[in-house]
């Protein structure tokens, strides 16, 4: 069974399960771009600048290669043509090899860093830009117990210490929460919802004085509109943004409706609670009956 649109009101759990098993990184790149474009469309007329930035996350999903860096060879044998010994005309002489550590031989140059975050700036009359909000869409590699989590958590805290609002979109229901004090959907009871948008507002000054706002939503809920406080030099602008708009744009532009196969039983979906699986199956059946 195929549809030409997203038949769920928010995150499509069938598409989501496929992405988490395979090509989450492509979705991540497309979706963060659509979020930036939607924010730019709404905020540019109000004097704010929206930029795609290199995120604070590690993008590795299988191996933790963050420690590998492109290095010069520890041992390098070189010389000019005039320094080479004369050609031997007799039996072949044993060659003297260059000695290079395997770790150096196999490592590739570091790829260009990908744009994985969205930064919001306020510009004053002199053209000076002040960072007022930072937005990250979480990838599986940056949730516990994966290796990128500790680095991500540290950098998130560092950004909050600057007084910058931090928005975290966590649609990875199959792994633990990035907050130790917030119940994870994985392994929890049926009262815990799978998706979360956290808006952390450190206020003006030390982040310990700020508040966090958790917008949690379920498999049959629309992605919520949230309030993002933008702390400028002279004012605070509480900006409301509907994250469902860029999600549906990404869903349509990536042709995910055509790629999603609903023949998989809801019971096989990745990591959802039994009650949610039942609700997903009932919703899909109603959509199929309506389509027929």
């Amino acid at each position: 069974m195929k549809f030409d649109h997203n038949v769920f009101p928010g995150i499509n759990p069938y598409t989501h399960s496929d992405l988490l098993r395979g090509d989450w990184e492509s979705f991540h790149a497309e979706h963060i771009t659509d979020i930036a474009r939607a924010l730019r469309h709404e905020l540019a007329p109000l004097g704010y600048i929206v930029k795609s930035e290199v995120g604070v996350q590690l993008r590795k999903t299988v191996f933790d290669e963050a420690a590998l860096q492109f290095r010069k060879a520890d041992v390098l044998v070189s010389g000019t043509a005039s320094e080479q010994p004369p050609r031997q005309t007799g039996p072949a002489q044993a060659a003297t090899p260059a000695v290079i550590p395997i770790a150096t031989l196999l490592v590739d140059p570091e790829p260009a860093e990908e744009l994985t975050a969205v930064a919001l700036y306020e510009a004053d009359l002199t053209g000076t830009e002040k960072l007022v909000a930072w937005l990250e869409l979480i990838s599986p590699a940056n949730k516990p117990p994966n290796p990128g989590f500790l680095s991500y958590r540290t950098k998130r805290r560092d950004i909050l210490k600057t007084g910058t609002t931090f928005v975290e979109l966590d649609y990875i229901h199959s792994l633990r929460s990035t907050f130790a004090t917030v119940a994870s959907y994985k392994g929890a009871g049926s009262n815990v919802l799978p998706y979360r948008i956290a808006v952390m507002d450190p206020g003006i000054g030390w982040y310990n004085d700020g508040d966090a706002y958790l917008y949690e939503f379920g498999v049959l809920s629309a992605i919520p509109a949230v309030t993002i406080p933008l702390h400028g030099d002279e004012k605070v602008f509480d900006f409301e943004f509907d994250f469902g708009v860029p999600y549906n744009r990404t869903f349509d532009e990536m042709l995910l409706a055509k790629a999603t196969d609903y023949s998989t039983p809801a019971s096989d979906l990745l990591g959802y609670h039994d009650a949610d699986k039942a609700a997903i199956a009932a919703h899909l059946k109603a959509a199929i009956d309506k389509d027929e």
Side-chain angles (χ1 to χ4, degrees), residues 133-208:
W134 187 275
L135 185 149
E136 289 271 352
L137 174 64
I138 290 291
S139 288
N142 298 282
K143 297 198 70 177
N146 289 328
F149 169 64
L150 294 179
S151 174
Y152 169 72
R153 184 180 64 178
T154 298
K155 292 177 181 178
R156 178 178 65 190
R157 186 184 296 261
D158 289 343
I159 289 176
L160 285 168
K161 285 181 178 179
T162 68
T164 301
T165 298
F166 196 105
V167 182
E168 178 181 292
L169 280 69
D170 186 355
Y171 300 160
I172 313 296
H173 66 285
S174 56
L175 293 170
R176 299 204 312 266
S177 168
T178 63
F179 305 101
T181 55
V182 174
S184 299
Y185 180 81
K186 178 181 173 62
S190 58
N191 60 322
V192 179
L193 297 173
Y195 315 122
R196 179 183 305 111
I197 298 175
V199 179
M200 289 157 272
D201 176 14
I204 303 297
W206 188 246
Y207 78 107
N208 284 335

Side-chain angles (χ1 to χ4, degrees), residues 84-135:
Q84 301 302 317
R87 180 183 296 273
Q88 300 294 323
T89 57
Q93 301 294 310
T96 302
V99 180
I100 303 174
I102 290 176
T104 299
L105 181 65
L106 297 183
V107 72
D108 294 324
E110 285 292 295
E113 293 180 299
E114 298 181 55
L115 302 177
T116 63
V118 176
L120 280 62
Y121 297 86
E122 181 186 47
D124 62 21
L125 296 177
T126 66
T128 302
E129 297 177 3
K130 171 184 170 59
L131 180 65
V132 293
W134 187 275
L135 185 149

